[in-house]
Structures are given as structure tokens and as C-alpha cells.
Amino acid sequence: MTYHDVEWGTPLHDDRRLFEFLILEGMQAGLSWETVLRKRDAFRRGFARFDPVKVSRFTSKDVAQLMTDESIIRNRAKIEAAIGNAKALLALRKEFRTFDRYVWGFDDKDLLSKDLKRRGFRFVGPTIVESFMQAVGIRNDHERGCYRRAELTRARAVTPAR
């Protein structure tokens, strides 16, 4: 409930946090978001607080260490995708300067998913990308009667376009 009331759908513009949400959404595939939320602090420890520069330097030794960490989701494909995604994010920054500027340039999950895949990102199918866009506030998908929808709509109305 706290996650919904405080975090979910609130516009994020910090590259590290955006990267964190993209990775956590990928980790969630096949699992509940509640499972991921309970493990979020452990993921932050294991993935260098989601610093993409540090994660991009992870080696097979780091992957092996993460695979023994029972406090995270130990799926080799997802762990290796997170490392590859950090590298892809750094390459993307060369073109867009920030991950923020890049992801906020999309309003269609399918287009963002396809473009991320084209750029070498993994675990970024349309369902994962839609969840990511909702979580970081690119899309305000709170239900019509939800007080957060109204709050976020008002906040966007007074916030200048990026």
C-alpha cells in the first residue's frame, strides 16, 4: 500500500532510479511485484545501488557471487541481462546524454520495447516495459477513481514539460 501511495506512478527523472526500476521490472517477470519489493534492498546491495557504471563492470565472478545470494532472485539470465542492460544504457547515454531524456521521449510501450531491444537491452518485452512506464510515471495508469491519479494529473499540469 505504501508503495502505491508514495512511489508507484510518481514521475522519476533520476537515471540510477530509472535503471533500478527497469532491472527490477525484468526481475519480476513470472513473479509478483510484492516478491521483488521485499528483495529490493538486497538487490540494491548486490547491484551496487544500481549504478550502471559499476554494474557494467561486473564480471563472471560477480555473477557467480550473485547466484549464491539467497536474498535476491537468483536467475542467471536475469542477472546477466541486468549487466548487459547497464552496458547498453551507457552506450545510449552517448547519444541522449541521459537515460531519463531517452525513456521520457516515448509514450508507447511497444515502441520503447522495440527500441530498447534494438539497442541491446534484454528482459524489456512490452509487458515489462509497460510496467516500467507505469512505475516511473511516464504513464499515469492509476484507476480513474484513485486519488493518486488526480494528484499526479494536477502535478503534471503545473510542472513544465521537460
Side-chain angles (χ1 to χ4, degrees):
M1 197 61 143
T2 301
Y3 174 69
H4 170 272
D5 292 348
V6 176
E7 264 186 279
W8 191 77
T10 301
L12 273 180
H13 295 286
D14 176 80
D15 272 14
R16 187 182 294 209
R17 296 286 318 282
L18 289 166
F19 178 61
E20 174 180 349
F21 272 89
L22 185 66
I23 298 310
L24 292 178
E25 292 294 349
M27 290 290 177
Q28 185 210 348
L31 304 168
S32 73
W33 186 244
E34 185 177 346
T35 299
V36 174
L37 280 178
R38 279 189 275 113
K39 296 177 178 283
R40 184 160 57 169
D41 287 337
F43 273 114
R44 286 175 175 158
R45 285 189 303 274
F47 284 88
R49 302 209 58 76
F50 292 100
D51 179 331
V53 173
K54 290 178 181 176
V55 174
S56 73
R57 295 180 182 145
F58 280 16
T59 66
S60 57
K61 190 175 183 176
D62 296 302
V63 172
Q65 178 64 39
L66 288 167
M67 288 296 295
T68 66
D69 185 348
E70 295 180 7
S71 65
I72 67 166
I73 296 163
R74 295 176 294 163
N75 178 305
R76 183 177 299 277
K78 291 177 180 181
I79 291 169
E80 289 175 348
I83 297 165
N85 289 352
K87 293 174 183 175
L89 185 147
L90 295 179
L92 184 143
R93 277 184 179 168
K94 291 178 181 171
E95 183 178 347
F96 292 91
R97 289 197 344 248
T98 67
F99 189 50
D100 171 60
R101 176 176 284 182
Y102 169 76
V103 297
W104 279 85
F106 288 87
D107 60 5
D108 181 282
K109 71 175 193 257
D110 294 319
L111 293 176
L112 178 55
S113 173
K114 286 176 186 172
D115 200 64
L116 286 167
K117 287 178 184 177
R118 183 179 67 80
R119 294 172 183 279
F121 286 81
R122 296 186 335 206
F123 280 89
V124 290
T127 301
I128 289 170
V129 168
E130 179 176 32
S131 294
F132 166 76
M133 293 174 87
Q134 292 168 330
V136 303
I138 294 171
R139 293 178 47 174
N140 184 355
D141 282 345
H142 286 273
E143 293 188 13
R144 295 226 181 266
C146 178
Y147 78 95
R148 286 288 287 154
R149 180 183 186 91
E151 279 181 357
L152 294 169
T153 299
R154 279 192 304 275
R156 281 186 178 205
V158 298
T159 304
R162 293 182 62 78

